[in-house]
Amino acid sequence: MCPGAGSSSLQLPQRAVSCLAAERRRLTPRIIPGALEISPATIKLHWTCEPPESCHGSWKIRAQCWLVGPLSGPCQRPQHTTSEQPLQGLEGTVTCSSLHPFTSYRVTISGGYPATVLYSQQVHTSETAPDQPKIEPLDPSTKTFRWKQLPPCKGAIVGYQLNITARREYNSSFLEVEKVRVNQSVTKYLLHPWRHGTNYTVTIQGLTAAGLGQESRWDFETNISDTCRREGAWTTNVTFPAEPTAFPVNGTVEVTCTEKPESGPFPAKCTELKDRGAVWDISGVQCL
């Protein structure tokens, strides 16, 4: 303690004044944290320095954000720190930018030489929308759409959303749209029904608390492979033309009835029913 520092005299010796000034310079600042603002790429920490007389003079206060992790696994981050920031005055804001989302950082404020840690806190940047899921090669015979599970590098994956659109070039009025959401453990989806002669577009997006991510898209077209045959219970009562023996979907054939006076000819159309494939529409064949 400086000699005479406890004296009540208004006039202190010059030596005591110099000693008190030295004590003030030796005071260690205390950093009082304030509001914390977090985004996927930025951390902002508002701070205050106490006592006020310790925040000037020989103390040089600096701040940095150090990467904590993950340091391994599919979401491994390259080790780095943000650039050192000099802090001045009695209050201010530490701003660390260009950070990775959903990643742990340690905000450190230090001062003096050698550096003394005045404040340290681990902070996790917030989540953002995930990357594109990777679609796996698909075997059309299985009617199953598959994708690889997304790693939680930009946020915890809570599910996937599929949008399935079916169109037909030869029928502009035909449109089927289906939206499906599955949980994070699912990596395949059975496309049902798988309609013949149809253009499909399937998109898939990962989902985090921040929302839907980039979509992956798969387009394919099914063959018009189903046909209507001239065999069947109803066909024994009518006569078909000599050719052909099989009729494509949306094709029409004129048949005649063996019963008179309603002998025809009458139109029988090969059509498609959902989940049943190609079937005959014989509503126009009056004798049936």
Side-chain angles (χ1 to χ4, degrees):
M1 183 173 179
C2 296
S7 172
S8 60
S9 172
L10 297 178
Q11 297 295 325
L12 292 176
Q14 183 62 36
R15 181 182 175 186
V17 172
S18 300
C19 187
L20 286 174
E23 280 195 351
R24 291 192 181 99
R25 287 195 298 269
R26 286 195 297 269
L27 284 173
T28 300
R30 289 185 296 112
I31 299 299
I32 310 301
L36 181 64
E37 301 174 28
I38 301 173
S39 75
T42 305
I43 295 173
K44 290 185 178 181
L45 173 68
H46 300 275
W47 59 274
T48 302
C49 180
E50 292 183 359
E53 59 268 24
S54 69
C55 306
H56 300 287
S58 62
W59 278 94
K60 291 183 179 179
I61 304 176
R62 300 168 297 277
Q64 286 179 307
C65 289
W66 302 76
L67 177 71
V68 176
L71 301 176
S72 62
C75 304
Q76 179 178 349
R77 309 300 192 191
Q79 294 193 26
H80 73 284
T81 62
T82 60
S83 58
E84 187 176 275
Q85 303 174 39
L87 307 183
Q88 297 178 347
L90 302 180
E91 61 181 22
T93 302
V94 174
T95 302
C96 299
S97 55
S98 300
L99 306 179
H100 297 288
F102 204 55
T103 302
S104 291
Y105 290 87
R106 182 164 293 281
V107 182
T108 301
I109 300 176
S110 57
Y113 184 83
T116 300
V117 175
L118 306 175
Y119 173 82
S120 180
Q121 180 182 356
Q122 186 167 317
V123 180
H124 207 71
T125 52
S126 54
E127 301 180 50
T128 189
D131 293 326
Q132 290 177 305
K134 183 178 180 181
I135 299 174
E136 294 188 335
L138 183 139
D139 179 2
S141 65
T142 67
K143 302 183 181 180
T144 302
F145 181 71
R146 300 175 185 271
W147 61 93
K148 289 188 178 292
Q149 200 167 39
L150 283 170
C153 298
K154 293 187 174 180
I157 305 300
V158 297
Y160 298 91
Q161 179 167 301
L162 291 88
N163 297 292
I164 305 164
T165 304
R167 293 185 174 87
R168 287 176 175 163
E169 294 181 0
Y170 56 87
N171 184 357
S172 58
S173 64
F174 177 84
L175 176 65
E176 291 182 347
V177 179
E178 183 179 8
K179 182 179 292 186
V180 179
R181 186 166 289 186
V182 297
N183 66 40
Q184 74 279 7
S185 64
V186 176
T187 57
K188 64 182 180 180
Y189 183 75
L190 177 64
L191 298 173
H192 181 78
W194 191 295
R195 309 288 295 276
H196 293 282
T198 303
N199 299 87
Y200 283 93
T201 296
V202 183
T203 64
I204 181 169
Q205 299 164 276
L207 177 66
T208 67
L212 291 169
Q214 303 174 58
E215 70 175 27
S216 291
R217 173 171 170 160
W218 182 57
D219 296 284
F220 68 101
E221 182 179 1
T222 56
N223 295 324
I224 304 179
S225 58
D226 267 9
T227 56
C228 294
R229 301 285 174 172
R230 61 170 67 214
E231 299 88 0
W234 72 277
T235 61
T236 59
N237 298 322
V238 299
T239 301
F240 281 83
E243 297 292 341
T245 58
F247 304 87
V249 171
N250 294 320
T252 301
V253 62
E254 298 288 334
V255 298
T256 56
C257 293
T258 56
E259 298 289 336
K260 293 184 178 181
E262 297 178 345
S263 58
F266 301 110
K269 183 177 181 180
C270 180
T271 186
E272 182 186 32
L273 291 183
K274 189 173 183 180
D275 303 331
R276 289 183 55 192
V279 295
W280 284 108
D281 177 4
I282 55 175
S283 58
V285 184
Q286 294 181 18
C287 61
L288 301 177

